[in-house]
Amino acid sequence: MSDLVTEFGEMLRKKRKESGYSQENFAAYVGIERGNYGKMERGLVNIKLETLYKLTNALNCEFSEIMPPKGKYKIRID
C-alpha cells in the first residue's frame, strides 16, 4: 500500500491507544473483524468512507486527527 495508507494506519493506532482501547476491544466496538482492523492499522488496506465515519465517531475525534495532512501527499488525478 501507499505511504498515505500506512501513515493513516499509524495515526489510527495512536488515537485508539490514546482512547484506551485494545485493538480487539475497539474492533468489536465498531463492528469490524479484528483481523481486518489490524490490517487497517498496518496500512495494508484502503477503507470505505463509511468505515472512516465509524472510526471517527467511535474515537470521538475529527477526521484530521487520524488522517495525514493533505499537503503531505500529492495524489495525481488523470
Side-chain angles (χ1 to χ4, degrees):
M1 280 285 134
S2 70
D3 291 342
L4 171 62
V5 177
T6 300
E7 186 173 352
F8 164 76
E10 291 167 357
M11 293 177 74
L12 177 60
R13 178 182 296 120
K14 181 179 181 228
K15 188 67 178 173
R16 172 187 54 81
K17 287 182 175 184
E18 286 173 0
S19 297
Y21 289 102
S22 69
Q23 190 180 74
E24 186 173 354
N25 289 343
F26 186 69
Y29 178 57
V30 294
I32 299 171
E33 195 274 325
R34 193 202 58 77
N36 289 334
Y37 180 78
K39 289 178 185 178
M40 285 183 215
E41 285 195 354
R42 291 191 308 277
L44 300 176
V45 294
N46 265 319
I47 65 168
K48 297 186 303 182
L49 182 58
E50 291 171 345
T51 302
L52 181 59
Y53 269 82
K54 266 189 193 180
L55 296 170
T56 56
N57 284 330
L59 292 168
N60 195 30
C61 70
E62 298 297 326
F63 295 122
S64 60
E65 295 178 67
I66 60 172
M67 294 292 295
K70 69 178 182 176
K72 187 172 181 179
Y73 298 97
K74 302 294 180 192
I75 306 296
R76 291 187 54 181
I77 302 171
D78 36 64

